[in-house]
Amino acid sequence: MNLRKALTVDDVIPEVSAVTVEGIIREMVAFLDGRGKLRDAQAALQSVLEREKKMSTGVGHGVAIPHGKTDTVDELVTCVGRSAQGVDFAGPDGERVHILVMTISPANRTGPHIQFISEIARLLKEGDRRRAYLAAEDAAGMYRALLQ
Amino acid sequence: MTHLMTVLVLQVAVLTLAAQGMGFFFEKKLRQPRVLGELAAGMIVGPYALGRIHIAFLHQPLFPVFPGETMHVTPELYAVAVLASIILLFLSGLETDLPTFLRFSGVGSAVGLSGVVVSFLFGNLITVLLVPSVTSMMDPAALFLGTLSTATSVGITARILSERRRMSSPEGVTILAAAVLDDVIGIVLIAIVVAIGRLGGGGIDWGRIGVVAAKAFGFWIVATAAGIAFAPRLVRGLKRLHSVDVIVGTSFGLALLLAGLAETVGLAMIIGAYVTGLALSHTDVADEIRERMHGLYHYLVPLFFAVMGMMVDFAAVARVFVFGLIFSAVAIAGKLVGCGLPALAFGFNRRGALRIGAGMLPRGEVTLIVAGIGLSAGIIGPELFGVSVMTLLVGSIVAPPALIAAFRGGSGYRNADDKADAAQSTEVHLDLPTVSAADFIRARIIEAFRSEEFFVNRVDINSPIYRIRQDEKSITLVQRGSDISLVTAPENEQLVRLILVEEIVELKELFEGLQRFGDPGELGGSLLDGLLGDDE
């Protein structure tokens, strides 16, 4: 799938300031809402929080992929962020999470939704890429580090 | 016209019923390939047996003998058989495993090529030596019998290997790769031989043979290359219509179109059908097309075999029975020697070489199609047609036990650690507490892949093995009891894991929901309570 089509440099948050899992999710959903990508921000927030409650989306190596499904979006909506301070997502290795990838996908429409997350996960498997992403100076640098 | 159609419909009806019945009997009771039963059905109801009995209300026999003709079948019925052979070869092309062939093209090419060359020479030479009317290796009849010795039907081998879990053994992958090349060369060989046959007998005109060969290879290469390059784009375009029926229908239409085009340039129709299938085989809709065409295949293809069986003239076969047995034995020897010897040069020991030779033994539809074309073009007569059918019968009966016996014992590779199966793949396991939990999760996983716009097809109706495909991504899901495993290329591992995680999350929610539901026993009790409610 074409990651650049789903994720642009404008979808990058250089610094997510919240310090709790819920705070991070709220902040990222608010960012998406601010970009006019959500019809119903509250429903989107609810879907991501509910999914997080069922099982942590921390995948280890300092990465978390909070995501949700709701009927209030028509296509995959996504953003990525970075937390300098790190947040405890209760991931499998207990590492604090610095790299955040959020997706909200339509509940009743087929499409490559999990494939988007898996593609990003495949890229972030590389340690050098993760380090470059965290060390980047700005959103453009983070975007380059992630997708190049 | 009405009478013609009435006869045709009655012929198709009788052949269908006989082929289905005998196919079932051979498969389930005699434990022989279905195709043998279908052939036998044609022999029994055909013009050389029951079919010649006069039917009063038709004022003729159902399958009359046409004096002076080599083929005792009406053009209308033959047309149905031709359509069936197109479907058969289209599906054979679709089932071709190009990636496996490319991965093991070295040893596969050597085994496949040598198998074709040696079998062809053996078949051709024995015909020249033993058939008085054939005096030259270039005699169309000798070329035909040589060609039909080359065909391998790897389907039987694949089924036996998969039952014994030897499919991914060095011998298994070598046989599968060799069979692809064997098919391809065999089909091009048919094209050349058919064209030579149509040029008529007489002297050897190497110039004309060269033109024919160049035309056959040219059509083959251009159509295959264009097909492989163009098919994914075509499929992508068609997928926008969101109708699998349109994709399948268009693909079948193209197979017929290419079959017709192949015939117009002087090649056999089945080549066009096979090329279309081959071109589509590496697209993600290949399994979907195969599955949807399977209905048509299941009803029409037995008819093809039955029509071929009809053409067996018992009196003619009796005249060449001894030659038929010798020819069948030589054809088996050709495959064993031709495929086994090169295997020895690629690190296999004698046991491995024997296994590969035995794996290439089964013969099938292509043998009959070649023979049918030869008979209809007047290149071979009823005697040699009978020999072809005998070769198929002997090969099909001998091959399975020979293969099973060959695969007993230790490794067939000289260096057992050096596995030919170097395929890089990764496996993700899910061990569920019960089989029914595994059934439930399997259904959910399949649904999850479908909602990610993957095509999911059950590989075998009798066992829970699924192929999950989207563009170049391919995943195999296998359920063994309460264990589910997904095998795929390493680059798809994240996707598989994430899909499984999401399903586990859903399952967790389902369990929690069920707990809130209350006592299932109580609920069941309240449902049963009204079952025999008092009407009075």
Side-chain angles (χ1 to χ4, degrees):
Chain A
M1 73 172 301
N2 189 353
L3 290 179
R4 284 167 199 277
K5 217 167 149 187
L7 186 73
T8 68
V9 69
D10 295 331
D11 299 318
V12 179
I13 314 171
E15 183 55 45
V16 183
S17 53
V19 291
T20 62
V21 172
E22 186 176 334
I24 293 259
I25 291 172
R26 282 182 184 278
E27 193 174 335
M28 291 180 86
V29 170
F31 172 81
L32 287 173
D33 192 35
R35 297 212 347 94
K37 288 191 168 188
L38 302 175
R39 264 206 316 270
D40 182 344
Q42 194 52 40
L45 174 68
Q46 215 50 45
S47 74
V48 183
L49 285 175
E50 265 172 31
R51 169 61 187 84
E52 195 63 39
K53 211 168 85 187
K54 288 177 201 164
M55 191 188 282
S56 165
T57 58
V59 292
H61 297 283
V63 180
I65 42 168
H67 56 276
K69 278 186 170 189
T70 167
D71 276 334
T72 61
V73 289
D74 295 327
E75 57 178 6
L76 181 82
V77 167
T78 181
C79 66
V80 295
R82 174 173 64 181
S83 160
Q85 202 176 337
V87 185
D88 181 11
F89 256 79
D93 56 3
E95 242 184 72
R96 288 179 80 78
V97 165
H98 297 279
I99 301 173
L100 297 143
V101 180
M102 175 175 279
T103 67
I104 298 167
S105 50
N108 293 317
R109 198 171 287 194
T110 62
H113 306 137
I114 297 182
Q115 284 177 80
F116 174 83
I117 306 177
S118 73
E119 283 293 305
I120 295 276
R122 198 166 61 83
L123 293 172
L124 287 173
K125 210 179 163 188
E126 301 163 23
D128 287 346
R129 195 184 291 274
R130 292 197 301 269
R131 284 187 282 279
Y133 178 84
L134 290 174
E137 285 196 354
D138 52 10
M142 289 163 70
Y143 185 74
R144 265 200 309 277
L146 186 61
L147 294 189
Q148 252 171 18
Chain B
M1 184 71 166
T2 316
H3 180 69
L4 272 182
M5 288 304 117
T6 309
V7 172
L8 175 68
V9 170
L10 288 173
Q11 286 179 335
V12 169
V14 168
L15 285 174
T16 301
L17 293 172
Q20 292 295 341
M22 289 294 282
F24 179 83
F25 178 70
F26 268 64
E27 191 181 25
K28 303 286 177 199
K29 304 287 174 199
L30 303 183
R31 306 220 164 260
Q32 290 294 327
R34 220 186 145 81
V35 52
L36 298 187
E38 292 158 0
L39 263 173
M43 293 181 195
I44 296 168
V45 302
Y48 297 104
L50 300 178
R52 67 195 321 166
I53 297 169
H54 190 85
I55 311 263
F57 67 88
L58 282 179
H59 311 294
Q60 65 168 74
L62 187 57
F63 296 104
V65 173
F66 304 109
E69 298 282 335
T70 47
M71 284 216 320
H72 302 286
V73 53
T74 59
E76 298 80 29
L77 183 60
Y78 193 64
V80 178
V82 167
L83 190 65
S85 70
I86 289 174
I87 293 170
L88 188 65
L89 265 284
F90 175 49
L91 288 183
S92 294
L94 264 177
E95 282 169 12
T96 306
D97 191 351
L98 270 183
T100 299
F101 169 64
L102 293 176
R103 212 180 297 140
F104 300 101
S105 50
V107 55
S109 303
V111 169
L113 194 65
S114 157
V116 168
V117 171
V118 175
S119 310
F120 182 85
L121 286 178
F122 274 33
N124 188 299
L125 279 172
I126 198 75
T127 311
V128 177
L129 285 175
L130 296 182
V131 178
S133 60
V134 177
T135 51
S136 141
M137 282 179 74
M138 290 307 292
D139 187 295
L143 291 175
F144 246 87
L145 285 174
T147 304
L148 64 83
S149 325
T150 66
T152 294
S153 169
V154 82
I156 296 170
T157 303
R159 206 166 59 211
I160 293 172
L161 291 183
S162 115
E163 277 168 11
R164 279 156 204 269
R165 300 203 175 184
R166 302 299 280 269
M167 199 80 141
S168 57
S169 63
E171 295 92 334
V173 286
T174 303
I175 293 168
L176 293 185
V180 174
L181 194 84
D182 186 283
D183 269 356
V184 168
I185 301 178
I187 296 243
V188 173
L189 210 56
I190 295 168
I192 297 172
V193 173
V194 167
I196 291 175
R198 282 181 187 156
L199 289 177
I204 305 161
D205 183 346
W206 288 105
R208 285 172 82 184
I209 290 170
V211 170
V212 164
K215 223 159 120 180
F217 268 109
F219 180 85
W220 164 259
I221 288 166
V222 170
T224 307
I228 288 176
F230 184 63
R233 247 181 278 175
L234 172 80
V235 168
R236 259 202 304 280
L238 288 173
K239 275 200 282 198
R240 289 203 195 106
L241 301 175
H242 290 285
S243 165
V244 179
D245 286 330
V246 172
I247 298 176
V248 177
T250 308
S251 309
F252 182 45
L254 285 174
L256 291 170
L257 185 70
L258 251 81
L261 287 178
E263 189 75 25
T264 55
V265 296
L267 306 173
M269 283 200 199
I270 51 166
I271 293 159
Y274 184 81
V275 167
T276 314
L278 188 66
L280 287 162
S281 69
H282 68 302
T283 64
D284 55 6
V285 291
D287 291 322
E288 204 72 40
I289 299 173
R290 204 166 50 84
E291 206 165 279
R292 301 227 175 182
M293 291 289 296
H294 201 261
L296 208 52
Y297 174 96
H298 191 72
Y299 302 113
L300 275 181
V301 171
L303 207 59
F304 165 79
F305 291 122
V307 169
M308 291 296 138
M310 264 176 59
M311 295 185 198
V312 177
D313 176 352
F314 301 114
V317 173
R319 286 196 293 276
V320 290
F321 188 73
V322 176
F323 172 67
L325 283 182
I326 296 171
F327 187 86
S328 305
V330 168
I332 289 173
K335 282 285 175 199
L336 284 175
V337 173
C339 300
L341 278 184
L344 286 175
F346 278 87
F348 289 95
N349 57 27
R350 268 192 290 177
R351 186 187 281 137
L354 181 69
R355 285 174 184 170
I356 291 173
M360 300 290 283
L361 281 185
R363 291 162 194 286
E365 55 283 355
V366 177
T367 309
L368 277 184
I369 293 176
V370 178
I373 292 171
L375 188 66
S376 69
I379 300 164
I380 56 171
E383 285 87 3
L384 293 185
F385 182 80
V387 169
S388 324
V389 175
M390 274 181 74
T391 312
L392 172 81
L393 291 176
V394 173
S396 302
I397 293 168
V398 167
L403 189 62
I404 291 168
F407 266 89
R408 285 201 190 106
S411 169
Y413 218 54
R414 261 182 251 147
N415 181 358
D417 297 331
D418 181 15
K419 296 271 184 202
D421 182 15
Q424 288 288 315
S425 63
T426 176
E427 194 165 347
V428 181
H429 271 290
L430 211 55
D431 199 7
L432 279 307
T434 62
V435 176
S436 50
D439 287 342
F440 180 76
I441 289 286
R442 184 192 76 212
R444 300 272 321 204
I445 294 170
I446 287 168
E447 217 30 65
F449 274 106
R450 286 208 171 109
S451 73
E452 287 282 314
E453 297 184 339
F454 275 78
F455 291 98
V456 184
N457 300 87
R458 194 168 179 149
V459 174
D460 180 10
I461 200 80
N462 298 314
S463 48
I465 303 173
Y466 294 81
R467 203 135 69 140
I468 302 165
R469 290 173 81 175
Q470 185 191 65
D471 301 325
E472 296 81 34
K473 293 190 188 101
S474 175
I475 300 154
T476 306
L477 183 153
V478 183
Q479 184 189 342
R480 290 185 195 96
S482 63
D483 180 73
I484 294 176
S485 66
L486 290 106
V487 183
T488 187
E491 63 264 29
N492 302 326
E493 189 183 341
Q494 280 83 3
L495 173 68
V496 169
R497 287 185 183 278
L498 281 167
I499 285 196
L500 291 184
V501 165
E502 290 310 301
E503 285 317 304
I504 298 293
V505 168
E506 293 290 322
L507 195 65
K508 198 174 153 205
E509 192 185 12
L510 183 76
F511 282 152
E512 284 165 6
L514 281 174
Q515 272 165 3
R516 284 197 299 274
F517 199 53
D519 178 11
E522 210 173 284
L523 182 75
S526 73
L527 283 169
L528 286 175
D529 195 28
L531 194 69
L532 300 176
D534 202 345
D535 277 347
E536 291 162 57

